[in-house]
Amino acid sequence: MILDLLQYAIKQAEALGASDAEAYAAINNESEVFIENNDVKQAKSQSTSSIGVRVVLDGSIGFYSTNDLAKSRIRDAAAMAIKVAHASPKDKHNILPRKSKSKLVRGIYDRNAESFQTLDAARMAAEMLKAAKSYDSRVSVDSGNFSAQVATDALANSNGIELKERTSVFSWSIMGMAIENTEISSFDYQVGGSHYVKDINVSNTAGEFAETVVKSLGTRKIEESFKGEMLLTPMAAKEMIEEVVAHAINSDAVQKKSSHFAGKIGRQVASDLLTIEDDATNVEGLNASSFDREGVFHRRNVVIEKGILKKFLYNTHTASKDGVKSTGNAGGSTSSPPTVSTTNFLVKPMRSSVDKLVSEIDKGIIISRFSGNVDPVNGDFSGVVKGGQLIMNGTIKYSVKEVMVAGNVFDALRRLNGISRERKVIYDSILPYMRFDGISFTTG
Amino acid sequence: MMRNGAQVADSLRLLISSSKSATYVEARYHSRVGSEVNFVNGELERIRVVENAGCGIRVLVDGCWGFTSTSNISNETLKESLSQAISAARILARTKKNKVKGLIESKMITGTFRTSANSGNLSDISIEQKVQVTKEAEKEARSNRLIKTASCTYREMLDHKVIINSDGADIEIHDSKPEFSVTAIARKASQSATAHEGVGITGGWNDLFKKKSHLEYAYTASARAAKLLDARHVSGEKSTVILDPAMVGLLSHEAIGHTVEADFVLSGSVVKDKIGSKVASDLVTLVDSGRSEIAGNAGGTIIVDDEGVAAERTAIIEKGTLKSFLHNRESAMIFGTASTGNARAFQYSDDPLIRMRNTYIEPGEDKLNDMIKETKHGYIIKGARNGQADANGEFMFGAEEVYLIENGEVKELLRGASISGNAFEVLHSVDMVGNEFQYDIGTGYCGKYQPAKVDGGGPHIRCTAMIGGLQE
């Protein structure tokens, strides 16, 4: 039924002169319960559906999206996309992918998700809240949520691609602080997620959150500014490192000369401890799916191997420019033409435990969260350490406050000197703890 | 597709009157047509038109909130959605400990409103013209040979809303919010520097380019990026700083505004028991308003909020004393005060939350030149980048350019850096407030589960903050 609508949109666009056309639809059913101020706040249930029509007309691209799937509106959308194409400049790389064969990814859809209701979501939210509060009476939950989502993605184009896939995603988050008398700790934020009902574990996430905020009470200023080691938790690594690397390995950034990695394929760009993959076929990551935003099948892409830059991530448009094949990294929703984006971002774990990484530090700081700015182009970062702890001679001394950290991600990657065996799934990232030396910490 | 406002209002009125079992029902039809054109390095990077329309229904039943939304607004579907919202609320009632006590009585607004699109209605400007302007500006940004990458984006949101609730609100709103921005990246050997320029407003096409033309924005961004290329890094220290209007807007929004959002206050914000207390220097009056006070076309202008309350001026800090939090009707009931009209939803499928609008510090009497002249050692901090604030008042935000001041004179330009401190300590340290006012963060969106279009600004202010840098 949905595929018929997509074919209808393509036929309409072709009838109006499009040489190529693509229609992408997404239908979502979602139940979500919000937490606010230590209590459940609101329950929400909704179904949304939308379609995006992309047309190519004499090399020019047009795009129109609507959330009204009535046939008459889809016809209008195709006509509007043609109108937009008339205003656009030509680009010979505006092409659509061809049909290819591959296997569908298994393990991303749970039948039981269909019967998971608002009532169940409310129970999960209440359980998460209870787990956090019972850990320690000083824990205060500012906000959080539990969401259950079943999504159907369907895509068709005038080259004969016709695909449909259903995924289920459960995700939850918890955010807040610990309060003792007049002292308020740093904020912490933890998330969890799964594709299957049986893998939902809100108590773990709540426990980790509670432990972190309680630990960051009783903070002290560090005595002086220093240069030392930095141990990032997976969440902090996501905040400080991932965006920069994701930008640098994006073929679009490379072609626009804003990637630090441009021209460096085959060269050492990081410590040989570092291996990074983009892999939508890894079902632990919540972004797992079989095909990308324009119908190219996903695969495992090793981007950096033992510190050596191996490849960039492409969609069909950027691949055409470089004369290579798409890596299956067309991203974006129905409300936008395809971009290039990472799917699941993975850093390979190593043998050391987190405890071992800590014990090897002479002087340094563990960072739970990084609140600051990162420039994805040149890699400069500068910001405040959140939930930080000072380490001296291999032991954790105390929790710190008002420490700023600054440096450059690309320099830091070369000075990466430890990766943990423990990893954490943060939605679409699977990251270990990462340790760097030569980092500047400033106190006021 | 533009639906007939009167017909939509009739359907929503019928729906509201049919519901007897809820304490409160609100139906909000919201249609948005968004357009975007983006050029990068001479190529069209993105062009799209997106329409998103539907009705969000929120109910208060048994002291709990339920919310649903639907893109189909036939009477039948609306009714079905309403009963879904009611049952969601009832489910929550089984686990919720502190029931919603009710909503404060507020004057419910009725009528039709248009945010000022006096000149150059966006829907009358052709897509060809929007493409042209964006393309030209992007090209201009690259006319400096040090600029290796440039990007220019035009975006607009055309909104049509109908809000009816069971307490008597009956509103139709037409809103128009365009924005335009240019990014230039300069590069020489292994050095690179980025600069942004832009404007985001409530108003029409001509309002957007009232202050500067599209080419002037492009020129300014590229000249700055080129200049920053040779700039040194700042060394970290606590220092006297003069913040520009964009920085003041960001400080007001991030470091103060979020801590006074009543939902945030209820979960233990640092200002919890501070109403009536001195939280800043006498020179500071900090306001959040849904109207475009002092200067026109502020990007966060809303007139009426999504609960049907007038979005009027709220003095958060008056001459250094904390006066008010930001409220919706629910939080106002808890605090025993009036709603400040801060309930906002981004799209039809979002529920209204307490959000800011235009947040700023009011101008004072000092001239910028005097502020510089009276600074022995310090920095001028310009070009607000993103920022974050914490529950304990600690904040940090990024600045694009920093100028060193020595003995009352502006010296060299330094690279961008982070500014941080405790929000209230910084406000206590304010000792000079400029006399020229400007809104300047209108291209920004605030994120809190859902985006919101906000703006902020102020005059230049002088205060003490920590400036981050590299330890050499």
Side-chain angles (χ1 to χ4, degrees), chain A residues 17-28:
Chain A
S19 53
D20 281 301
E22 169 199 86
Y24 171 43
I27 298 164
N28 272 299

Side-chain angles (χ1 to χ4, degrees), chain A residues 42 46 142 256-257 335 373, chain B residues 48 69 149 187 267 386:
Chain A
Q42 178 173 267
Q46 62 192 5
D142 173 62
K256 296 201 179 84
K257 303 185 178 72
S335 63
N373 285 322
Chain B
R48 60 171 174 164
S69 71
T149 302
R187 196 172 285 114
S267 22
N386 57 332

Side-chain angles (χ1 to χ4, degrees), chain B residues 42-266:
Chain B
E43 285 177 30
L44 179 71
E45 168 71 9
R46 172 132 82 160
I47 187 162
R48 60 171 174 164
V49 181
V50 177
E51 59 166 62
N52 198 29
C55 184
I57 297 171
R58 193 168 65 135
V59 300
L60 186 58
V61 178
D62 299 342
C64 288
W65 288 112
F67 182 84
T68 54
S69 71
T70 170
S71 58
N72 181 336
I73 61 160
S74 69
N75 289 341
E76 218 168 280
T77 318
L78 285 174
K79 231 174 152 173
E80 207 175 290
S81 281
L82 174 63
S83 63
Q84 257 182 43
I86 291 172
S87 74
R90 288 202 172 121
I91 284 165
L92 211 60
R94 299 187 210 166
T95 46
K96 189 167 168 67
K97 283 177 287 180
N98 304 307
K99 299 280 156 62
V100 177
K101 288 174 189 65
L103 306 178
I104 199 73
E105 266 195 42
S106 301
K107 181 172 185 266
M108 287 290 109
I109 303 297
T110 58
T112 299
F113 302 88
R114 256 167 230 283
T115 51
S116 58
N118 302 326
S119 56
N121 204 330
L122 296 180
S123 45
D124 296 339
I125 307 293
S126 70
I127 185 92
E128 280 82 1
Q129 190 173 350
K130 291 162 189 168
V131 168
Q132 182 73 16
V133 159
T134 315
K135 192 177 171 182
E136 280 176 10
E138 190 278 323
K139 193 174 173 200
E140 170 66 24
R142 276 181 297 119
S143 58
N144 184 319
R145 61 185 177 79
L146 289 171
I147 304 301
K148 304 297 178 201
T149 302
S151 168
C152 178
T153 307
Y154 170 80
R155 268 195 212 108
E156 65 181 35
M157 290 194 288
L158 286 170
D159 284 11
H160 176 211
K161 282 189 190 183
V162 177
I163 304 167
I164 315 273
N165 71 33
S166 55
D167 288 350
D170 196 320
I171 309 154
E172 185 173 354
I173 300 169
H174 296 272
D175 189 21
S176 155
K177 290 188 176 4
E179 64 185 76
F180 175 81
S181 61
V182 184
T183 302
I185 304 173
R187 196 172 285 114
K188 198 164 66 182
S190 67
Q191 290 289 312
S192 76
T194 307
H196 305 260
E197 269 292 303
V199 57
I201 62 156
T202 301
W205 179 259
N206 300 335
D207 300 315
L208 189 65
F209 297 111
K210 200 164 57 183
K211 274 190 212 158
K212 284 185 201 169
S213 73
H214 62 296
L215 297 179
E216 283 172 291
Y217 283 111
Y219 174 78
T220 314
S222 79
R224 184 185 312 135
K227 244 180 12 180
L228 283 169
L229 208 47
D230 296 321
R232 286 190 305 133
H233 281 280
V234 181
S235 16
E237 65 166 324
K238 195 166 183 176
S239 175
T240 299
V241 293
I242 296 174
L243 307 180
D244 79 343
M247 276 295 160
V248 172
L250 196 60
L251 178 81
S252 304
H253 176 98
E254 291 293 343
I256 305 297
H258 283 297
T259 66
V260 298
E261 289 168 343
D263 48 352
F264 198 68
V265 175
L266 286 168

